Amino acid sequence: MKPVIGITMGDAAGIGPEIIVKALTHEEIYQNCRPIVIGDAKILERVQPIVHSNAKINLINDPDEAKFELGTIDVIDLNIIPEDLPFGQVSPVAGDAAFQFIAKAVELAKSKKIDSICTAPLNKEALHKGGHMYPGHTEILADLTGTEDFSMMLTTPNLKVIHLTTHIGLIDAINSINPERTYKVVKLAHETLSRAGFDDPKIAVCGINPHAGENGLFGYGEEEEKLQPGIERAQAEGINVTGPLPADTLFFRAGRGDFDIVVACYHDQGHAPIKVMGIESGVNITVGLKGGIIRTSVDHGTAFDIAGKNIADEQSMIAAINSAIELAPKRKLRRKHD
């Protein structure tokens, strides 16, 4: 049975509505899954002529009412955004709505109405102005599911990266890294790839300092204090993990296939290589959510500067939906045998 993918609309003032409508014109999406948009039907109808789509918008209250047909976009309509919301502007209304779309998706995932969640981008400033003080999607999902041990994973066809820290300043990120966090993220990486079919996944951990500290030459022993004990604990459990290794060469080695996934210590250390490899094919995955909830996302922002202009490319959204499809059947199969 094809998995049901709940696609949240993100910030309605950004490119989310456009890339969703564009992605859902691709026949292969319907061949491989049953997509449902969780958002605002008025906005999707408004972008239809912009992106030259003639798909029918089908309003539903429950996934059981969906048609799942190419040419029809099934929408669970929360109806909380004004029809004349300006594109390309920060809006508290749109920020609050983006949060509500995610909350509805989590509700549906918890009740097994959808098999995974795929999110269009939100705008953090709008989110905060809308009253929701989260750094981003990952932290919202963790809060709504009661998850403490989670991480962000980024993927491209040739590179996978998981993070020890994400949306905090660099000094705070380094201060927050400790052996327990290192161990837990390495274990999350191992469990996630093992469930995805990797046999003994090869994991490598980046150093914090240049050249991974080079035996005390750079930094103040952060690798030995914050990373090494967690790596050794994972190794003692039979996890195939190496490090800390110099980040400047590690991503090249991973890209050529030496490792299946890289553990990055902070946001830009992991995000920059992924985006150089190809932002249009990048996918963001939240790892470790309670209840086995799967969430994938485009790896780009709301792009307010091009919103409503039919410029936005839907390839990252397609890649995110495909990642959700790839992961969802495995969860469904495990549930069947539980």
Side-chain angles (χ1 to χ4, degrees):
M1 185 178 292
K2 294 182 288 188
V4 179
I5 309 299
I7 306 170
T8 60
M9 202 169 72
D11 192 302
I15 62 173
E18 293 175 66
I19 60 175
I20 288 172
V21 172
K22 286 183 175 183
L24 295 182
T25 64
H26 291 254
E27 184 176 0
E28 63 268 24
I29 297 296
Y30 287 85
Q31 291 173 342
N32 297 318
C33 77
R34 295 176 288 167
I36 293 173
V37 180
I38 302 163
D40 194 291
K42 296 188 302 296
I43 302 301
L44 293 179
E45 290 170 347
R46 186 173 156 199
V47 303
Q48 289 275 80
I50 295 174
V51 301
H52 309 298
S53 168
N54 58 3
K56 178 184 177 182
I57 304 298
N58 181 38
L59 275 64
I60 60 175
N61 296 311
D62 187 276
D64 292 338
E65 302 171 3
K67 294 183 178 180
F68 303 121
E69 297 174 350
L70 181 65
T72 298
I73 299 176
D74 298 299
V75 184
I76 293 180
D77 182 20
L78 272 62
N79 193 26
I80 51 178
I81 298 178
E83 187 174 1
D84 60 351
L85 177 81
F87 287 122
Q89 296 181 24
V90 173
S91 163
V93 173
D96 173 60
F99 175 86
Q100 302 303 334
F101 301 153
I102 301 165
K104 181 64 175 179
V106 170
E107 174 191 322
L108 292 169
K110 284 181 176 179
S111 63
K112 312 302 183 187
K113 291 284 189 178
I114 60 175
D115 293 298
S116 57
I117 300 169
C118 179
T119 59
L122 55 72
N123 180 278
K124 294 179 179 64
E125 183 181 355
L127 181 71
H128 293 175
K129 287 186 175 181
H132 307 285
M133 306 306 291
Y134 295 92
H137 268 119
T138 301
E139 293 80 6
I140 294 173
L141 288 154
D143 190 25
L144 292 175
T145 58
T147 303
E148 294 182 3
D149 297 325
F150 62 91
S151 185
M152 175 188 293
M153 178 185 290
L154 302 178
T155 70
T156 68
N158 297 317
L159 182 63
K160 292 180 175 62
V161 180
I162 191 169
H163 291 68
L164 294 181
T165 67
T166 50
H167 297 111
I168 54 177
L170 183 55
I171 292 174
D172 292 334
I174 293 171
N175 287 337
S176 71
I177 297 171
N178 56 54
E180 182 70 12
R181 175 63 178 167
T182 301
Y183 164 74
K184 287 181 176 179
V185 172
V186 168
K187 190 171 182 178
L188 279 175
H190 173 78
E191 291 174 347
T192 301
L193 294 192
S194 295
R195 285 194 298 266
F198 284 75
D199 182 21
D200 191 29
K202 301 184 293 294
I203 305 165
V205 180
C206 287
I208 295 172
N209 294 295
H211 303 279
E214 201 163 307
N215 298 316
L217 183 61
F218 303 111
Y220 298 93
E222 287 86 357
E223 282 75 16
E224 292 77 10
E225 174 191 350
K226 297 172 176 290
L227 301 178
Q228 195 65 47
I231 293 170
E232 291 174 356
R233 180 179 170 188
Q235 289 171 336
E237 295 182 5
I239 295 175
N240 186 356
V241 56
T242 304
L245 298 174
D248 58 354
T249 54
L250 175 51
F251 288 102
F252 167 76
R253 295 180 60 191
R256 74 181 182 188
D258 293 3
F259 303 103
D260 296 312
I261 190 167
V262 173
V263 178
C265 293
Y266 51 88
H267 183 280
D268 284 12
Q269 188 180 60
H271 278 62
I274 286 285
K275 294 188 177 182
V276 168
M277 295 287 283
I279 192 170
E280 72 284 347
S281 61
V283 178
N284 182 324
I285 302 171
T286 303
V287 176
L289 293 175
K290 282 187 178 179
I293 293 176
I294 296 161
R295 175 262 178 169
T296 67
S297 177
V298 297
D299 189 32
H300 59 70
T302 48
F304 278 173
D305 57 323
I306 61 171
K309 300 178 181 178
N310 195 26
I311 297 173
D313 190 293
E314 73 271 25
Q315 291 306 310
S316 187
M317 174 57 73
I318 293 172
I321 295 171
N322 285 335
S323 290
I325 294 167
E326 179 185 8
L327 295 173
K330 293 184 176 66
R331 183 176 78 128
K332 200 168 185 117
L333 184 62
R334 289 199 304 275
R335 197 163 68 230
K336 180 179 178 181
H337 291 289
D338 284 345

